[in-house]
Amino acid sequence: MPTERSTSSLLSIQSYGGRSSSRASTTTNYSQSEQDALREIRQEKAALLLEIRSLKDEIADCSWIIERLDVDEDGKPNSERQIMAIGRKKFNLDPKKGLEYMLEQKVLQHTPEDVAKFLFAGEGLTKTAIGIYLGEPDAFNQKVLEDFIRLHDFSNTKLVSALRVFLWSFRLPGESQKIDRMMEKFAQYYCEQNEGVFATSDSCYVLSYATIMLNTTLHNRNVKDRQTVEQFIKMNRGINGSEDLPREMLVDIFDDIKAQQFKIAEDDGNDLLPAFEDPDRQGWLYKQGGKYKSWKQRWYAFYSFLVPPDSDQGGGVEQT
């Protein structure tokens, strides 16, 4: 059997032609405790609406601040710097696609000289990614390799010292054909800057390769039979235009490598530092926290990192 309150509420609804029930007619049929609870609910609703309105205003202010971050202090757009930061991240993941992105954005000129300077500076780039790009067989990549090598100064420098500098500017790729092309270009340039040291650039190439192998045999713990100086001299007989290289030169190379192995360029994480020095967004934002949930102004920096599709890394914010 329906109660009196239910009947009164139904009549109130019908009297409004199907519209919402009259608040006054239904409220009077609630008990005092129910009316008090309803009043608290309405007060909470009003407070929530005010908070939502306040949050919308805060979001609008934050959006304005973020938009202002796209200009420098003098009011000039800094988008080129941001594009370069994104381009470096892309390059470290995929050198070819990263360079294509920077060329499309016109922050780099599509010339071997400009690309070589970018790689030689190496700011924010991994040595592995540089080596991958320089080792590619495409004609443009090979011209970049030539210009990259010519940015070094090997004049009046011993071969071992020149090799140390050269091999520190990037990480040698694992493929023998790529290493072969790189060492051939290095030998040609070294001979240009040091005329008279070798009969031909082929002689320099053979000795350079032999020196790298010597470094492996002397310092690789997996090699049991260490090469001796006499074996090294014998191995390099007749390579200088069918003539022998000076014994003192070969002994000096052997002693140099034995005393100090080549420091092969590795990516130890330091290449990530420039990425954190150049955030995509930064500025003051308001954060709610603390015991009393008060709003406090905090300085935030936002970074975007492109993760390969096959990566198993989780978390973060998906870019769309």
Side-chain angles (χ1 to χ4, degrees):
M1 179 176 179
T3 62
E4 180 182 351
R5 185 178 66 186
S6 300
T7 304
S8 175
S9 298
L10 179 60
L11 291 172
S12 175
I13 294 173
Q14 292 173 343
S15 66
Y16 275 82
R19 292 182 295 174
S20 300
S21 62
S22 169
R23 181 179 299 176
S25 62
T26 56
T27 301
T28 55
N29 292 292
Y30 287 119
S31 66
Q32 186 61 42
S33 60
E34 290 174 327
Q35 292 182 37
D36 293 340
L38 183 60
R39 189 180 301 108
E40 290 181 5
I41 291 174
R42 289 169 179 163
Q43 290 175 350
E44 291 179 2
K45 177 182 178 182
L48 285 173
L49 290 174
L50 287 175
E51 187 173 353
I52 290 172
R53 189 176 297 112
S54 177
L55 286 174
K56 288 182 177 179
D57 293 339
E58 293 286 352
I59 292 173
D61 291 341
C62 291
S63 298
W64 181 85
I65 293 173
I66 291 175
E67 289 175 359
R68 292 293 299 167
L69 293 175
D70 286 335
V71 298
D72 291 326
E73 294 180 357
D74 56 0
K76 296 181 179 179
N78 59 15
S79 58
E80 181 175 341
R81 177 173 57 82
Q82 294 174 347
I83 291 172
M84 286 296 292
I86 296 173
R88 293 187 186 100
K89 296 171 189 176
K90 288 178 176 286
F91 183 88
N92 289 336
L93 292 173
D94 189 322
K96 182 178 180 180
K97 292 183 179 179
L99 194 62
E100 288 176 350
Y101 169 80
M102 286 181 281
L103 292 175
E104 289 174 358
Q105 297 296 324
K106 301 187 184 304
V107 293
L108 283 181
Q109 297 181 20
H110 195 256
T111 63
E113 295 83 1
D114 201 43
V115 175
K117 290 178 181 178
F118 169 72
L119 299 180
F120 185 75
E123 181 181 355
L125 305 180
T126 65
K127 300 293 181 71
T128 299
I130 296 173
I132 290 174
Y133 185 84
L134 295 175
E136 291 301 317
D138 296 345
F140 185 83
N141 294 59
Q142 289 303 292
K143 189 63 176 69
V144 172
L145 173 61
E146 292 181 13
D147 292 336
F148 178 85
I149 294 175
R150 290 183 176 278
L151 292 171
H152 296 78
D153 183 10
F154 299 140
S155 58
N156 301 316
T157 304
K158 291 184 177 180
L159 180 64
V160 174
S161 298
L163 282 171
R164 291 188 189 280
V165 173
F166 179 59
L167 296 177
W168 184 251
S169 60
F170 66 98
R171 182 172 178 82
L172 277 174
E175 297 86 342
S176 58
Q177 290 183 343
K178 294 183 178 180
I179 297 175
D180 186 76
R181 286 193 295 267
M182 291 176 167
M183 297 313 301
E184 183 179 3
K185 299 293 185 183
F186 164 82
Q188 292 173 356
Y189 181 59
Y190 181 85
C191 289
E192 285 183 24
Q193 291 200 310
N194 298 274
E195 294 183 0
V197 177
F198 295 97
T200 64
S201 62
D202 287 340
S203 305
C204 180
Y205 161 79
V206 173
L207 184 59
S208 297
Y209 221 113
T211 303
I212 295 175
M213 297 306 298
L214 174 66
N215 181 79
T216 302
T217 58
L218 290 182
H219 297 286
N220 191 321
R221 64 182 63 183
N222 296 323
V223 178
K224 297 181 179 179
D225 298 327
R226 305 293 182 185
Q227 193 174 35
T228 65
V229 63
E230 294 301 327
Q231 290 174 331
F232 181 68
I233 294 173
K234 182 179 180 180
M235 183 179 67
N236 289 288
R237 283 179 181 170
I239 66 171
N240 194 32
S242 300
E243 300 291 334
D244 293 341
L245 290 165
R247 178 182 175 86
E248 310 83 59
M249 178 182 183
L250 297 177
V251 172
D252 183 67
I253 291 175
F254 184 91
D255 292 341
D256 195 325
I257 296 297
K258 185 177 180 180
Q260 183 180 7
Q261 64 177 322
F262 283 135
K263 291 183 178 180
I264 305 301
E266 296 183 358
D267 301 319
D268 56 3
N270 290 331
D271 53 280
L272 295 178
L273 293 178
F276 288 100
E277 294 172 355
D278 187 19
D280 299 304
R281 292 282 192 276
Q282 60 180 334
W284 291 103
L285 295 176
Y286 287 91
K287 175 183 179 296
Q288 188 181 37
K291 183 177 180 180
Y292 300 103
K293 301 299 180 184
S294 59
W295 288 92
K296 297 180 180 179
Q297 196 176 35
R298 294 288 185 269
W299 180 267
Y300 283 87
F302 299 92
Y303 304 87
S304 63
F305 296 95
L306 302 176
V307 181
D310 57 349
S311 173
D312 58 357
Q313 290 182 328
V317 179
E318 182 179 356
Q319 286 191 339
T320 57

